[in-house]
Amino acid sequence: MSSRNALVRQTSGSPGTGESAATGSDREPGWWAPPSPERARTLLLVAARPTICALAATVVLVLLVMLTTDTDLTSAPGAVGATWLAAHQVPLTVGKTTLGLLPLVPTAVLLLVAARECARAVPNRPTPIELAWLTGAVLAGPLLMTAVCIAVVGDAAGVTPLQPPGAFTAFGWVIVLYLGAAAAGIGSRAGRSLCASVPIEIPDWAVLGARTARRTVLRMLGCAAVATMISFFAHLSRLDGAYQQAHNVTDVLGMTLLSLLYLPNAVIAAAGLLSGAAVQFGTGSVGLFGVTGAQVPAIPALIPVPEGPASAWWPVLLMIPLAVGVLGGIELGRTSDDRPGAPWATLTSAALATLTFLVLAVLGGGMLGAVGRVGVDLLMLVVLMGTWFGFGGFVGMMFARRFLAPAEPAEPVEDYDDEYDEYDEYDEYDDEDDDDFYYDDDDYDDDPEPDVEVDAELVTDIEDDVEVSIAAPGSAEQPGEDIVDAEVVEPDLPEGGKGTGR
């Protein structure tokens, strides 16, 4: 039990359970209090480990590309700095060409690693100062590495045509991205306890709407991914033209890898296209109602982009976002017990889902050299998705109320923070108290029961059907004279033996 208590003390960082016991103080730290040495080591790992892993992967990737393409290694530092900035969606300028349409796969991997590292470091019962230190640790490593990469790219400007980005833009992107990663990590670990500590009561319809919005976004992205794959196989004849610029196997592998990195960008654009919003390619655009002068680059990632003129059946695809909204409304109608609040939950779900797609469209679009801006029309995206999700959700909610039976309420899921609550009572014991509950194996005998010597005459008297009468406690009636007085004789214990109470 002492080892289990030590594990709880080591993993818990909350006041009064882990760190307060280690520091010997039960007083809650104030805003001025620095973290304890154990907590400081944890924060250092949060700041350094994701950054070091990302930098190592970037260096390996850049060197691999340079060695396979016979590129001079003198430009390796500038390439490493530019790759780090591109992975954080910082626009790059090569000569007079600006590249702002950057792949989302590296960004998603970096943020996922940072969010998981942050979630592991969240204490069981976090205080605001602990969360502030943790958020600062998540930001510290990437910001420091971004500053170094900006300086390296600036120094390499004399060797390569790469221009350093503005410090405000670079640091702004890094801060926004890693604040989102910190929020996701903290929310996944202590979201319920934080919501419970908010002085303003959060209505149930808002929580239900947020959960439905998450499922709505995932469903819409899944439909967009399926539509992208179908369109890819439908336009498979373009594959030869997409690889015309590839001169050897290395070029083919590079273009294929680059297309896979841009796959999330294509899926986000497909989601906007299914909602009715146009996807812009510079001065042209591609939509369900028409294709106007779109200059689509010949790369494998853009093979699924439909060609003009628009077919008459394309507007039928608008039923997909409408059906996704209806499905979300049906879930709200079946699971919500608050009939007056259900419409507000529907509006909340539609608004949050639309906002999520707006953020994804901003991340998935950008400038693409001479082509111009490539991405979804943001204004049309907000109007159309808000309409489909809101109207479809209201229709689904009314349908569920009228024709479907309400779903059984799900069993409450225990909070992750309560996982160690059953062990908190053991923190009251120190190591000396733990010894009181410890028994040595030598204290037990091999025989399951001790030998007991019984008088033979006594056994004979009991077998003669003698009535035994025992008076109940507190009873006025005394037992009769026929009570048998049995005496049990225990065997003599060996010297030095220790009774175990058996």
Side-chain angles (χ1 to χ4, degrees):
M1 182 176 297
S2 60
S3 61
R4 180 171 61 180
N5 293 345
L7 177 61
V8 174
R9 296 189 186 101
Q10 182 179 359
T11 57
S12 174
S14 58
T17 59
E19 293 185 0
S20 61
T23 57
S25 175
D26 295 334
R27 181 174 57 86
E28 183 176 350
W31 286 95
W32 52 268
S36 63
E38 293 81 4
R39 189 63 182 168
R41 285 193 292 268
T42 301
L43 296 178
L44 182 61
L45 290 176
V46 172
R49 186 152 50 188
T51 303
I52 294 176
C53 294
L55 181 62
T58 302
V59 172
V60 171
L61 179 62
V62 170
L63 292 179
L64 182 63
V65 171
M66 286 188 167
L67 292 176
T68 54
T69 57
D70 295 332
T71 305
D72 189 6
L73 294 180
T74 56
S75 60
V80 170
T83 305
W84 171 271
L85 296 174
H88 291 84
Q89 299 297 310
V90 180
L92 301 176
T93 302
V94 181
K96 296 182 179 180
T97 303
T98 301
L99 180 61
L101 181 62
L102 300 169
L104 288 178
V105 171
T107 306
V109 172
L110 292 177
L111 297 183
L112 179 61
V113 172
R116 289 177 61 87
E117 195 73 26
C118 178
R120 293 174 182 175
V122 175
N124 291 333
R125 295 176 180 83
T127 60
I129 183 58
E130 289 175 332
L131 296 182
W133 280 110
L134 182 57
T135 304
V138 173
L139 293 173
L143 286 177
L144 178 60
M145 186 55 59
T146 301
V148 173
C149 290
I150 292 175
V152 170
V153 172
D155 291 339
V159 181
T160 62
L162 186 64
Q163 302 297 324
F168 180 80
T169 302
F171 288 124
W173 273 108
V174 172
I175 290 174
V176 170
L177 292 176
Y178 281 93
L179 278 180
I186 294 174
S188 64
R189 178 64 172 83
R192 293 188 178 183
S193 60
L194 291 178
C195 292
S197 63
V198 174
I200 302 176
E201 183 179 358
I202 301 177
D204 295 337
W205 54 262
V207 178
L208 189 60
R211 293 175 180 174
T212 307
R214 175 178 174 271
R215 290 190 288 267
T216 299
V217 171
L218 293 178
R219 291 191 186 105
M220 192 65 193
L221 289 177
C223 294
V226 173
T228 302
M229 296 303 298
I230 294 176
S231 181
F232 176 83
F233 288 108
H235 299 89
L236 201 59
S237 59
R238 304 183 198 169
L239 193 60
D240 294 338
Y243 285 100
Q244 284 183 353
Q245 298 179 356
H247 302 289
N248 49 39
V249 178
T250 303
D251 294 342
V252 172
L253 293 177
M255 294 181 66
T256 303
L257 178 60
L258 187 64
S259 299
L260 293 176
L261 295 179
Y262 274 103
L263 184 59
N265 303 64
V267 172
I268 294 172
L273 194 66
L274 292 177
S275 68
V279 179
Q280 298 175 345
F281 288 91
T283 58
S285 63
V286 177
L288 296 180
F289 299 96
V291 179
T292 58
Q295 182 184 357
V296 180
I299 57 176
L302 298 179
I303 288 178
V305 176
E307 294 178 340
S311 300
W313 63 270
W314 285 4
V316 179
L317 296 175
L318 295 175
M319 298 300 296
I320 294 178
L322 180 62
V324 172
V326 170
L327 185 57
I330 290 175
E331 290 184 352
L332 287 173
R334 296 190 63 193
T335 57
S336 177
D337 296 331
D338 184 13
R339 296 183 66 88
W344 292 105
T346 304
L347 293 177
T348 302
S349 175
L352 291 178
T354 304
L355 180 61
T356 303
F357 274 105
L358 176 61
V359 174
L360 292 177
V362 171
L363 292 174
M367 299 298 297
L368 187 59
V371 177
R373 184 186 182 276
V374 177
V376 184
D377 190 339
L378 301 180
L379 181 59
M380 293 179 63
L381 179 73
V382 171
V383 173
L384 292 174
M385 279 201 169
T387 301
W388 298 131
F389 294 154
F391 177 74
F394 186 77
V395 171
M397 180 195 64
M398 298 302 296
F399 176 81
R401 284 184 173 183
R402 187 172 182 84
F403 299 104
L404 300 179
E408 296 181 359
E411 296 181 0
V413 181
E414 296 182 0
D415 191 2
Y416 186 78
D417 298 341
D418 297 335
E419 184 174 343
Y420 299 104
D421 287 348
E422 59 177 328
Y423 303 115
D424 289 345
E425 58 178 334
Y426 295 110
D427 291 336
E428 300 176 0
Y429 303 103
D430 53 11
D431 295 338
E432 296 180 358
D433 295 334
D434 292 338
D435 295 338
D436 297 337
F437 299 97
Y438 176 77
Y439 297 95
D440 192 0
D441 295 337
D442 297 337
D443 295 339
Y444 297 93
D445 299 330
D446 296 335
D447 297 336
E449 296 182 358
D451 296 333
V452 179
E453 181 180 354
V454 183
D455 192 352
E457 296 180 359
L458 174 62
V459 175
T460 304
D461 294 339
I462 295 178
E463 292 177 353
D464 291 339
D465 295 333
V466 179
E467 181 180 0
V468 179
S469 175
I470 300 176
S475 174
E477 182 179 359
Q478 298 296 328
E481 297 180 356
D482 294 334
I483 298 177
V484 178
D485 187 7
E487 180 180 2
V488 179
V489 180
E490 297 183 359
D492 295 335
L493 297 176
E495 293 183 2
K498 187 176 182 180
T500 60
R502 295 175 297 173

